[in-house]
Amino acid sequence: MTLRLHDTATRTVRDFLPLTPGKAGLYLCGATVQAPPHIGHIRSGVSFDILVRWLKVSGLEVTFCRNVTDIDDKILRTASAEGSPWWAVAERNQRAFTRAYDVLGCLPPDVEPRATGHVPEMITLIRRLIDSGHGYAAGGNVYFDVSSYDRYGALSGQRPEHMRPADDIEGESAKRDPRDFALWKGHKPGEPYWDTPWGPGRPGWHLECSAMATKYLGPTFDIHGGGLDLVFPHHENEVAQSRAAGDGFARYWLHNGLVNLGGEKMSKSLGNSLLVDAMVTEVRPVELRYYLGQAHYRSGIEYSPEALAEAAAAYRRIEGFVVRASEAAGTGTGTGRAAGTGGTGGTGGTGGTGGTGGTGGTGGTGGTGGTGGTGLPLASSLPAAFVAALDDDLAVPQALAVVHEVVTEGNTALAAGDQAGADKQAESVRAMLGVLGLDPLAAPWATAGGSELSEVVEALVRVALDQRQAARARKDYPAADAIRDQLHAAGIVVEDTPAGPRWELAR
């Protein structure tokens, strides 16, 4: 079955046919770094991480570009309210986003450009638009002439005559049409600026992404992704200015659904954000990833603690089988579930013309049964029903149903003492989890929490378990029970199995 993806532009599910056979270019609208991320922000990262993994498992060489908007009205307002330099706000929050992507096991992008590092490319794009009659300078700003592009509104399905005025310029402006949007914003006292042929100023938000996407993926590329809330005006404006300038731009547009809280979109302005840094102290990162990735990427998620708890329990059922099968086969660590917060490493921003430079660390991706370097499973090792589900517009709910079916079969094999059968099912489950970024025995989850601390905890628990076994051997059951109870009080749950006692952290 050919991979099929829902294209927002055509409102249909289309066969995915890469521009260049064997390769795929993906641009994802990343963070605008005026604040640290909540789970609504990071859902996009998880959804498109699954897409990147599936493209790679399908045999494609992927170039994944995820930008950082580090100059924007919101960043400037935050900096002004704090009394901080704008670049300090951007740098602090970019690091928080990188930390969140990493802690949820998202593969690092191949390139993560910052807007401030690509002003020359933006100036070139503005010049092309002005020379072709689609842009004009007025009142110190440069605007895109919406009426000059007859396909404006096609991506979002809106009619120009029904659109509200663009609100990206404060106060009076010299726009020809209220719907025209800013390509370049003239300098105001106290704001950062760059010199251009049209005067000093800073880039408009929409211009930034067009310039960065085409720099790294070419004038025409395969997939442009982002949250559903970006379809209009951001992506509408991107495609208009890029195609007006003569670029083919994105051939497929993918948008993930939003995370809602109390029926409203999560946002910082509503004060209902659930920050990733805080949430991973309440629930294991791998469980939070399962929760954010379990629904179809185009579906909305209504957040509740109960829904998160149900997702965590579902993941633990899968994880429990994988760990038990591994231990029964003699390949496990004996420590039960991995319980940590580690990540895959990440790439920092590129550039810094007037920007804030800096790169993060890069890390391995881990995985099961390999492709000779990606750490991801071979497609041939996956159940046909799982492959069919992901090829059908990344139908993760159906794919997870296959995972749970195989887990049930594996548990049945374990209960019957069929180690060969359990091994086969465990291999299949781990291969599927590798695609979804959820394999408990692969990085980052297998090494999460710090290997040195894990080794210390394992040694201490093992001492207590040995003492308990010795008490049971001499039939001193009160002493054995007391040791078990003391471990439980410390957050350690002990399970007696035919292969001996195993433990895990209480959840």
Side-chain angles (χ1 to χ4, degrees), residues 255-312:
H255 291 94
N256 65 273
L258 307 179
V259 179
N260 298 315
L261 183 62
E264 295 183 90
K265 168 193 166 187
M266 291 187 64
S267 69
K268 291 171 287 297
S269 62
L270 291 175
N272 59 15
S273 300
L274 294 171
L275 299 182
V276 175
D277 277 348
M279 291 204 69
V280 295
T281 67
E282 302 295 329
V283 63
R284 291 188 302 158
V286 67
E287 294 169 354
L288 182 57
R289 179 186 173 101
Y290 183 96
Y291 171 70
L292 293 175
Q294 67 177 340
H296 193 282
Y297 75 94
R298 290 193 288 116
S299 300
I301 296 176
E302 183 66 34
Y303 173 78
S304 71
E306 294 77 16
L308 177 59
E310 289 177 5

Side-chain angles (χ1 to χ4, degrees), residues 414-455:
L414 279 177
D418 179 7
Q419 188 61 49
D423 289 346
K424 179 181 178 181
Q425 306 299 356
E427 181 181 358
S428 179
V429 169
R430 289 194 62 202
M432 291 186 283
L433 295 179
V435 174
L436 302 175
L438 294 168
D439 182 0
L441 301 185
W445 319 121
T447 58
S451 59
E452 292 183 2
L453 179 59
S454 296
E455 291 173 2

Side-chain angles (χ1 to χ4, degrees), residues 85-98:
W86 66 272
W87 50 264
V89 170
E91 178 67 21
R92 179 184 74 227
N93 291 313
Q94 181 183 344
R95 292 184 181 186
F97 268 87
T98 298

Side-chain angles (χ1 to χ4, degrees), residues 14 114 130 154 200 203 218 221 272 282 302 307 333 354 375 467 472 487:
R14 301 169 51 202
R114 294 186 182 194
I130 291 177
F221 55 93
N272 59 15
E282 302 295 329
E302 183 66 34
T333 63
Q467 292 174 343
R472 296 181 70 183
L487 287 170

